[in-house]
PDB file of all heavy atoms in Angstrom:
ATOM      1  N   HIS A1239      29.518 -46.741   9.989  1.00 92.00           N
ATOM      2  CA  HIS A1239      29.880 -45.450  10.273  1.00 92.00           C
ATOM      3  C   HIS A1239      31.440 -45.520  10.593  1.00 92.00           C
ATOM      4  O   HIS A1239      31.936 -46.260  11.338  1.00 92.00           O
ATOM      5  CB  HIS A1239      29.163 -44.811  11.429  1.00 92.00           C
ATOM      6  CG  HIS A1239      29.464 -43.366  11.592  1.00 92.00           C
ATOM      7  ND1 HIS A1239      30.485 -42.920  12.187  1.00 92.00           N
ATOM      8  CD2 HIS A1239      28.695 -42.220  11.233  1.00 92.00           C
ATOM      9  CE1 HIS A1239      30.460 -41.507  12.242  1.00 92.00           C
ATOM     10  NE2 HIS A1239      29.371 -41.172  11.658  1.00 92.00           N
ATOM     11  N   LYS A1240      32.203 -44.525  10.077  1.00 89.00           N
ATOM     12  CA  LYS A1240      33.651 -44.646  10.214  1.00 89.00           C
ATOM     13  C   LYS A1240      34.114 -44.536  11.499  1.00 89.00           C
ATOM     14  O   LYS A1240      35.251 -45.026  11.949  1.00 89.00           O
ATOM     15  CB  LYS A1240      34.240 -43.602   9.284  1.00 89.00           C
ATOM     16  CG  LYS A1240      33.957 -42.103   9.583  1.00 89.00           C
ATOM     17  CD  LYS A1240      34.538 -41.138   8.671  1.00 89.00           C
ATOM     18  CE  LYS A1240      34.167 -39.700   8.950  1.00 89.00           C
ATOM     19  NZ  LYS A1240      34.689 -38.763   8.057  1.00 89.00           N
ATOM     20  N   ALA A1241      33.433 -43.897  12.440  1.00 94.00           N
ATOM     21  CA  ALA A1241      33.823 -43.653  13.839  1.00 94.00           C
ATOM     22  C   ALA A1241      33.540 -44.837  14.785  1.00 94.00           C
ATOM     23  O   ALA A1241      34.000 -44.851  15.888  1.00 94.00           O
ATOM     24  CB  ALA A1241      33.202 -42.482  14.434  1.00 94.00           C
ATOM     25  N   LEU A1242      32.834 -45.878  14.280  1.00 96.00           N
ATOM     26  CA  LEU A1242      32.364 -46.922  15.247  1.00 96.00           C
ATOM     27  C   LEU A1242      33.516 -47.557  16.003  1.00 96.00           C
ATOM     28  O   LEU A1242      33.495 -47.723  17.150  1.00 96.00           O
ATOM     29  CB  LEU A1242      31.506 -47.908  14.499  1.00 96.00           C
ATOM     30  CG  LEU A1242      31.069 -49.075  15.330  1.00 96.00           C
ATOM     31  CD1 LEU A1242      30.221 -48.662  16.468  1.00 96.00           C
ATOM     32  CD2 LEU A1242      30.309 -50.136  14.505  1.00 96.00           C
ATOM     33  N   THR A1243      34.434 -48.169  15.286  1.00 96.00           N
ATOM     34  CA  THR A1243      35.495 -48.974  15.865  1.00 96.00           C
ATOM     35  C   THR A1243      36.509 -48.044  16.780  1.00 96.00           C
ATOM     36  O   THR A1243      37.322 -48.649  17.430  1.00 96.00           O
ATOM     37  CB  THR A1243      36.284 -49.796  14.919  1.00 96.00           C
ATOM     38  OG1 THR A1243      36.776 -48.925  13.858  1.00 96.00           O
ATOM     39  CG2 THR A1243      35.342 -50.830  14.307  1.00 96.00           C
ATOM     40  N   SER A1244      36.343 -46.819  16.616  1.00 96.00           N
ATOM     41  CA  SER A1244      37.266 -45.884  17.452  1.00 96.00           C
ATOM     42  C   SER A1244      36.710 -45.832  18.906  1.00 96.00           C
ATOM     43  O   SER A1244      37.302 -45.172  19.823  1.00 96.00           O
ATOM     44  CB  SER A1244      37.269 -44.414  16.926  1.00 96.00           C
ATOM     45  OG  SER A1244      36.038 -43.775  16.867  1.00 96.00           O
ATOM     46  N   LYS A1245      35.506 -46.447  19.061  1.00 97.00           N
ATOM     47  CA  LYS A1245      34.872 -46.292  20.418  1.00 97.00           C
ATOM     48  C   LYS A1245      35.448 -47.198  21.549  1.00 97.00           C
ATOM     49  O   LYS A1245      35.024 -47.162  22.634  1.00 97.00           O
ATOM     50  CB  LYS A1245      33.361 -46.550  20.168  1.00 97.00           C
ATOM     51  CG  LYS A1245      32.557 -45.661  19.377  1.00 97.00           C
ATOM     52  CD  LYS A1245      32.641 -44.266  19.815  1.00 97.00           C
ATOM     53  CE  LYS A1245      31.943 -43.250  19.024  1.00 97.00           C
ATOM     54  NZ  LYS A1245      31.948 -41.910  19.439  1.00 97.00           N
ATOM     55  N   GLY A1246      36.328 -48.003  21.048  1.00 97.00           N
ATOM     56  CA  GLY A1246      36.986 -48.830  22.108  1.00 97.00           C
ATOM     57  C   GLY A1246      37.648 -50.173  21.629  1.00 97.00           C
ATOM     58  O   GLY A1246      37.413 -50.536  20.492  1.00 97.00           O
ATOM     59  N   ASN A1247      38.354 -50.886  22.426  1.00 98.00           N
ATOM     60  CA  ASN A1247      39.114 -52.037  21.977  1.00 98.00           C
ATOM     61  C   ASN A1247      38.123 -53.218  21.819  1.00 98.00           C
ATOM     62  O   ASN A1247      38.568 -54.258  21.199  1.00 98.00           O
ATOM     63  CB  ASN A1247      40.169 -52.373  23.073  1.00 98.00           C
ATOM     64  CG  ASN A1247      41.187 -51.404  23.107  1.00 98.00           C
ATOM     65  OD1 ASN A1247      41.642 -50.729  22.046  1.00 98.00           O
ATOM     66  ND2 ASN A1247      41.928 -51.203  24.158  1.00 98.00           N
ATOM     67  N   PHE A1248      36.956 -53.160  22.512  1.00 98.00           N
ATOM     68  CA  PHE A1248      36.074 -54.293  22.272  1.00 98.00           C
ATOM     69  C   PHE A1248      35.090 -54.095  21.136  1.00 98.00           C
ATOM     70  O   PHE A1248      34.143 -55.035  21.087  1.00 98.00           O
ATOM     71  CB  PHE A1248      35.232 -54.510  23.679  1.00 98.00           C
ATOM     72  CG  PHE A1248      35.946 -55.063  24.793  1.00 98.00           C
ATOM     73  CD1 PHE A1248      36.942 -54.333  25.425  1.00 98.00           C
ATOM     74  CD2 PHE A1248      35.664 -56.286  25.126  1.00 98.00           C
ATOM     75  CE1 PHE A1248      37.667 -55.085  26.489  1.00 98.00           C
ATOM     76  CE2 PHE A1248      36.399 -57.107  26.127  1.00 98.00           C
ATOM     77  CZ  PHE A1248      37.424 -56.298  26.778  1.00 98.00           C
ATOM     78  N   ILE A1249      35.220 -53.029  20.358  1.00 98.00           N
ATOM     79  CA  ILE A1249      34.214 -52.861  19.274  1.00 98.00           C
ATOM     80  C   ILE A1249      34.833 -53.161  17.898  1.00 98.00           C
ATOM     81  O   ILE A1249      35.977 -52.643  17.480  1.00 98.00           O
ATOM     82  CB  ILE A1249      33.907 -51.321  19.231  1.00 98.00           C
ATOM     83  CG1 ILE A1249      33.605 -50.857  20.720  1.00 98.00           C
ATOM     84  CG2 ILE A1249      32.808 -51.124  18.355  1.00 98.00           C
ATOM     85  CD1 ILE A1249      32.537 -51.628  21.388  1.00 98.00           C
ATOM     86  N   PHE A1250      34.176 -54.037  17.179  1.00 98.00           N
ATOM     87  CA  PHE A1250      34.521 -54.632  15.917  1.00 98.00           C
ATOM     88  C   PHE A1250      33.360 -54.555  14.917  1.00 98.00           C
ATOM     89  O   PHE A1250      32.302 -54.191  15.310  1.00 98.00           O
ATOM     90  CB  PHE A1250      34.984 -56.034  16.040  1.00 98.00           C
ATOM     91  CG  PHE A1250      36.112 -56.298  16.880  1.00 98.00           C
ATOM     92  CD1 PHE A1250      35.934 -56.450  18.282  1.00 98.00           C
ATOM     93  CD2 PHE A1250      37.365 -56.298  16.447  1.00 98.00           C
ATOM     94  CE1 PHE A1250      37.024 -56.615  19.201  1.00 98.00           C
ATOM     95  CE2 PHE A1250      38.481 -56.575  17.310  1.00 98.00           C
ATOM     96  CZ  PHE A1250      38.323 -56.717  18.555  1.00 98.00           C
ATOM     97  N   ARG A1251      33.699 -54.843  13.660  1.00 97.00           N
ATOM     98  CA  ARG A1251      32.755 -54.965  12.666  1.00 97.00           C
ATOM     99  C   ARG A1251      33.282 -55.859  11.528  1.00 97.00           C
ATOM    100  O   ARG A1251      34.409 -55.831  11.216  1.00 97.00           O
ATOM    101  CB  ARG A1251      32.204 -53.583  12.003  1.00 97.00           C
ATOM    102  CG  ARG A1251      33.337 -52.823  11.317  1.00 97.00           C
ATOM    103  CD  ARG A1251      32.889 -51.630  10.519  1.00 97.00           C
ATOM    104  NE  ARG A1251      33.760 -50.437  10.582  1.00 97.00           N
ATOM    105  CZ  ARG A1251      33.410 -49.224  10.803  1.00 97.00           C
ATOM    106  NH1 ARG A1251      32.104 -48.976  11.104  1.00 97.00           N
ATOM    107  NH2 ARG A1251      34.124 -48.309  10.937  1.00 97.00           N
ATOM    108  N   ASN A1252      32.278 -56.677  10.962  1.00 96.00           N
ATOM    109  CA  ASN A1252      32.683 -57.474   9.859  1.00 96.00           C
ATOM    110  C   ASN A1252      31.999 -57.043   8.564  1.00 96.00           C
ATOM    111  O   ASN A1252      31.256 -57.705   7.928  1.00 96.00           O
ATOM    112  CB  ASN A1252      32.270 -58.909  10.094  1.00 96.00           C
ATOM    113  CG  ASN A1252      32.611 -59.814   9.025  1.00 96.00           C
ATOM    114  OD1 ASN A1252      33.587 -59.627   8.267  1.00 96.00           O
ATOM    115  ND2 ASN A1252      31.869 -60.932   8.874  1.00 96.00           N
ATOM    116  N   VAL A1253      32.175 -55.697   8.324  1.00 93.00           N
ATOM    117  CA  VAL A1253      31.730 -55.015   7.182  1.00 93.00           C
ATOM    118  C   VAL A1253      32.486 -53.846   6.809  1.00 93.00           C
ATOM    119  O   VAL A1253      33.274 -53.317   7.693  1.00 93.00           O
ATOM    120  CB  VAL A1253      30.199 -54.552   7.458  1.00 93.00           C
ATOM    121  CG1 VAL A1253      30.137 -53.518   8.568  1.00 93.00           C
ATOM    122  CG2 VAL A1253      29.447 -54.149   6.246  1.00 93.00           C
ATOM    123  N   LEU A1254      32.422 -53.374   5.629  1.00 87.00           N
ATOM    124  CA  LEU A1254      33.226 -52.082   5.222  1.00 87.00           C
ATOM    125  C   LEU A1254      32.807 -50.951   5.996  1.00 87.00           C
ATOM    126  O   LEU A1254      31.600 -50.769   6.274  1.00 87.00           O
ATOM    127  CB  LEU A1254      32.737 -51.880   3.683  1.00 87.00           C
ATOM    128  CG  LEU A1254      33.522 -52.713   2.612  1.00 87.00           C
ATOM    129  CD1 LEU A1254      32.826 -52.178   1.256  1.00 87.00           C
ATOM    130  CD2 LEU A1254      34.962 -52.353   2.563  1.00 87.00           C
TER     131      LEU A1254
END
Side-chain angles (χ1 to χ4, degrees):
H1239 193 282
K1240 61 185 177 183
L1242 178 61
T1243 51
S1244 68
K1245 297 299 179 181
N1247 291 331
F1248 280 76
I1249 314 303
F1250 299 84
R1251 62 169 144 227
N1252 183 28
V1253 68
L1254 280 174

